[in-house]
Structures are given as C-alpha cells and as structure tokens.
Amino acid sequence: MKIIGRIINKRRFKKIIFLKLINIRKDIQIVFNKKIELLDKKLKIGHIIKVFGKHGKTKSGQESIFCEKLIILKKCKKFPNKYFNNINKEFSYRKRYIDLVINKKSRFVFKKRFSLIKNIRLYFYKKKFTEVETPILNNIYAGADSKPFKTMHNFLKKKNYLRISPELYLKKLIVGGYERIFEIGKNFRNENCSKIHNPEFSMIEYYIVDINYLEIMRYTKKMLLKVIKKTIGQTKIVYKNNNVDFKKFETLKIKDAVLKYRNIKYIKKSFLIKEIIKKTKIISYKKENLMYQYFDEYISKKIIKPTFIIGHPKIFSPLALERNGFVERFELYICGIEIANGFSELNSAKEQEKRFKYQKKEYDMDYIEALKFGLPKTSGCGIGLDRLVMIITNSNSIRDVILFPFMK
C-alpha cells in the first residue's frame, strides 16, 4: 500500500526506525529497518514523505506500515516543535495549516464538519430537492435585517453588497416553477464578532411548496435527527456539560418560554412589561413585541433542549405570513444558540411592499413583481451550519469550526 503524510515524531530502537506519520485522515506508524544510518540523517520532523509497504501490526499490536520504499516529497525548513505542548487558540486560528498538523481535535472537528455537510446534501438529494446557486454579489441587500458589506463595481460604477441571505432569489425560483430547492453557501453580515458570530458564515436554506411552517418545522426535526445520527453515529451529544438528545424536541410559544425559564409560575403582565422596558433596548412598546425582545435578550440563552420557539410578532418577521396578529414562524434553539429560522412565506405582493416600506430602507422591487406573478403557498427554513457543527463537536467558539475565521 501507499501513504503520504508528514513526519511528526521519530524514534530509533536498535536497528529499527519508527516514524509517526499524519495526514488529514489518520495517524499511522511507519516501521523502517533498511539503510537505517542513511535515513536517520535524512528524515527530519516536518518532512512530507511517501511510503510504500505492507500493512500490519508490530509485536506490541501497534497498527503500522512496514516500509519497503520511501521518498521524501518535500523538506520542511521550519517546523514549530515548541507548539506541540503549548498551542493556543489565537495561534490555531491564524496558522490553521500548522494547527491541523499538530492538533488532533482540529482534525476531528473539520472531519465532522465536512461529513455533516455531505450528509445534508445527500439527504436533500434523496428527497428529490434541486440544489441551486444564487448570486453572492447583490444590487440590493435583502432577506434579513442585518448590516451588509458594501463594495463597488468599477466598470459599471455601481454600488453592490455581499449578500446577507439568498432568500429572495430562492423564492423567485419557486415562482419560476421549482417545488423543492436548497442552497448551501456563504452569507456575509457586517456586524459584531463573538463566540457564535463570524462576519462570513455558512448556511443551508431550503424551500418546499404547498406546506406551512408547522410542516417544515417537523421536516427540519426529522432531517436533523437523521443527518446527525449518520454523521456522529448517535443522536445524543454533550455540549458544554449539557446533555442533548435530538430525538427529544420541544415546542414553546415565546410567552410560555419566558415564564418557564424565569422559573416563575405566574407573573402579572404589568410587572413583566415594566421589567422588559427597564432591561431591553426598546424597538416597540407593544406588549407582544416587548415580550419577544425580552426573550431574545435574556431567555433564549437559557434553552438547552432542542426547542422550537413560535408566536413571533410581525414587526420582527417582515417576510413571514401573518395569522391572528402573529406570524407563522419558528426559531430553533439548542444550548442557548439559535440554529434555525423558518416560516410560512408571505406571498401577497401588496402586503410585502407595505412591510418593506415600513422598514424605511431600499427594497427589491423585482421581488415584488415576482410576487405579483404568483408565489404559491411555500415554507422555507435556514440553518446555520457553523453553529450546528459547534454543537455536534462540542466546540466552544465558531472560530473553532471555520478553517480560516475572521481575525482582528
């Protein structure tokens, strides 16, 4: 057999050289007992080599390749031995190419990351979805209430934005006749950096015709259960000492979540509203809006069990279908982190334009025209892939699961 890898350890016992070789898939021991003196001088820590030999085990039972032929592919002029026992997060993020060599945890995390994305794709292919691509460079930023990154097209002398969401383009494709679509890609939001925020992040968005938000909520639950089981071999995980079972989801209205996680059985509404006003940066003084602001700022972080939160006010959901003063929307929280957001899509051109104007910002008139052409009953969902990887790999920060995270 043949294997290519980097030497990270070398030891000599009598007339035998033992090399520890790593590549992105696994670590393996190389046993060499020919021309030992010559090789002992040539083989240095960090060198990348190609080994031909037979697979077997040593007397101690160690899986090994017994080398018959060895070629040095590339010498390493500077290998940071000092970091083996003293690696820190800052170094890992800035020098990922070294981190992957010396940090087994990082190799594990990214193996699971790309396995998860592959399994999600396979799941949607099996369910007869079409994978599509939509523009990253947009004339108008839309699809979420976030600050965009601005850029300029030099030839056209026209301002453009990096997309904050592919949502409007995906719904235009539904108008065009697609019934089941998904896109996995990068979004960009010009906002704060934190343990769960990176300016560039990965998401999957998917849309299904002729279902409502409750049905796509159940669809999301089933998809996550199967994909996570296939990726890590089980449905139970531990994240920051919290036990999470993807077989056990809960659904709560916002007001019920506030009551449950404040550990108070009954609260006078007037007292709660005063508390919310005191603690929250107010966007709206309406009772249901205050409740959501309070939930978002203080309660959401306390949710450990996979929980779908419903009962959102319209002001915070301009693209969702309204029903009895609230919108048909859900957010999925796990271990205090928002993982997914989905809703029944608003398909009235008149109402959508009214909501865009209320937001008092530039909006996509072509999307309004598409709605006039006819958007059938549709529901969609977006899942933050980086955050999901954080949870299934028990990673403390979003930077741990992005190969090259944004750094100051």
Side-chain angles (χ1 to χ4, degrees), residues 277-335:
I277 291 172
K278 184 178 178 181
K279 290 187 175 182
T280 312
K281 294 177 182 178
I282 299 301
I283 295 175
S284 170
Y285 281 93
K286 288 183 68 175
K287 182 181 71 177
E288 62 269 21
N289 299 343
L290 285 169
M291 187 74 76
Y292 175 73
Q293 291 171 85
Y294 186 73
F295 165 83
D296 188 53
E297 186 70 24
Y298 298 102
I299 302 300
S300 61
K301 301 174 182 65
K302 299 180 181 180
I303 299 175
I304 302 302
K305 180 180 180 180
T307 303
F308 290 109
I309 297 296
I310 60 175
H312 294 74
K314 182 171 70 173
I315 189 174
F316 299 105
S317 312
L319 294 160
L321 188 66
E322 182 183 6
R323 189 82 64 189
N324 299 324
F326 293 90
V327 291
E328 296 189 351
R329 176 188 174 190
F330 68 84
E331 291 176 294
L332 173 61
Y333 287 88
I334 304 173
C335 295

Side-chain angles (χ1 to χ4, degrees), residues 218-233:
R218 290 191 289 268
Y219 193 95
T220 299
K221 173 184 173 181
K222 185 178 179 181
M223 183 273 291
L224 287 174
L225 177 65
K226 290 198 172 184
V227 165
I228 287 170
K229 186 175 182 179
K230 189 172 182 180
T231 302
I232 63 174

Side-chain angles (χ1 to χ4, degrees), residues 177-332:
Y178 286 98
E179 296 180 10
R180 291 183 164 218
I181 57 174
F182 77 94
E183 180 175 8
I184 295 175
K186 296 286 188 180
N187 293 339
F188 306 84
R189 296 183 184 177
N190 196 355
E191 297 176 345
N192 66 316
C193 298
S194 73
K195 288 188 175 183
I196 59 171
H197 294 94
N198 194 69
E200 175 185 357
F201 61 97
S202 299
M203 283 192 70
I204 177 170
E205 287 202 24
Y206 47 98
Y207 292 81
I208 306 175
V209 170
D210 200 30
I211 67 171
N212 64 23
Y213 80 116
L214 294 175
E215 291 169 296
I216 204 164
M217 191 167 75
R218 290 191 289 268
Y219 193 95
T220 299
K221 173 184 173 181
K222 185 178 179 181
M223 183 273 291
L224 287 174
L225 177 65
K226 290 198 172 184
V227 165
I228 287 170
K229 186 175 182 179
K230 189 172 182 180
T231 302
I232 63 174
Q234 58 185 23
T235 61
K236 295 180 180 180
I237 63 162
V238 177
Y239 182 72
K240 294 183 179 180
N241 298 319
N242 296 305
N243 294 312
V244 177
D245 189 349
F246 283 91
K247 284 184 177 179
K248 297 178 180 179
F249 282 74
E250 188 173 8
T251 302
L252 288 173
K253 291 182 179 180
I254 288 170
K255 63 178 182 179
D256 295 329
V258 169
L259 293 174
K260 177 177 179 178
Y261 287 97
R262 290 179 85 255
N263 296 318
I264 296 175
K265 293 181 180 179
Y266 174 77
I267 303 174
K268 289 183 178 180
K269 291 180 181 178
S270 59
F271 171 78
L272 182 58
I273 290 172
K274 286 179 182 178
E275 183 180 356
I276 292 170
I277 291 172
K278 184 178 178 181
K279 290 187 175 182
T280 312
K281 294 177 182 178
I282 299 301
I283 295 175
S284 170
Y285 281 93
K286 288 183 68 175
K287 182 181 71 177
E288 62 269 21
N289 299 343
L290 285 169
M291 187 74 76
Y292 175 73
Q293 291 171 85
Y294 186 73
F295 165 83
D296 188 53
E297 186 70 24
Y298 298 102
I299 302 300
S300 61
K301 301 174 182 65
K302 299 180 181 180
I303 299 175
I304 302 302
K305 180 180 180 180
T307 303
F308 290 109
I309 297 296
I310 60 175
H312 294 74
K314 182 171 70 173
I315 189 174
F316 299 105
S317 312
L319 294 160
L321 188 66
E322 182 183 6
R323 189 82 64 189
N324 299 324
F326 293 90
V327 291
E328 296 189 351
R329 176 188 174 190
F330 68 84
E331 291 176 294
L332 173 61

Side-chain angles (χ1 to χ4, degrees), residues 70-155:
L70 184 150
I71 300 171
I72 297 175
L73 296 179
K74 186 63 179 178
K75 294 181 179 180
C76 177
K77 295 181 180 179
K78 184 181 179 182
F79 194 81
N81 294 304
K82 62 180 179 179
Y83 291 114
F84 265 105
N85 299 315
N86 192 31
I87 190 167
N88 60 65
K89 289 296 184 183
E90 179 81 9
F91 180 85
S92 295
Y93 303 149
R94 293 188 185 277
K95 305 287 184 183
R96 186 68 80 187
Y97 51 91
I98 297 176
D99 175 57
L100 290 169
V101 172
I102 64 182
N103 191 342
K104 195 171 184 178
K105 166 72 173 175
S106 288
R107 295 198 298 277
F108 166 80
V109 166
F110 290 108
K111 181 180 179 181
K112 292 302 177 186
R113 177 190 176 96
F114 299 121
S115 177
L116 176 75
I117 293 172
K118 180 189 74 173
N119 291 332
I120 287 173
R121 269 199 170 92
L122 292 175
Y123 182 90
F124 281 100
Y125 288 158
K126 189 175 180 180
K127 297 296 181 180
K128 308 302 181 185
F129 279 72
T130 300
E131 183 173 11
V132 299
E133 295 177 308
T134 60
I136 289 176
L137 200 60
N138 294 172
N139 292 327
I140 297 171
Y141 69 96
D145 187 20
S146 301
K147 293 179 181 179
F149 284 95
K150 300 175 184 179
T151 185
M152 178 67 68
H153 192 291
N154 291 334
F155 180 75

Side-chain angles (χ1 to χ4, degrees), residues 335-351:
C335 295
I337 301 173
E338 181 193 347
I339 298 296
N341 180 31
F343 42 83
S344 302
E345 305 298 335
L346 175 61
N347 56 4
S348 164
K350 184 177 180 180
E351 175 62 18

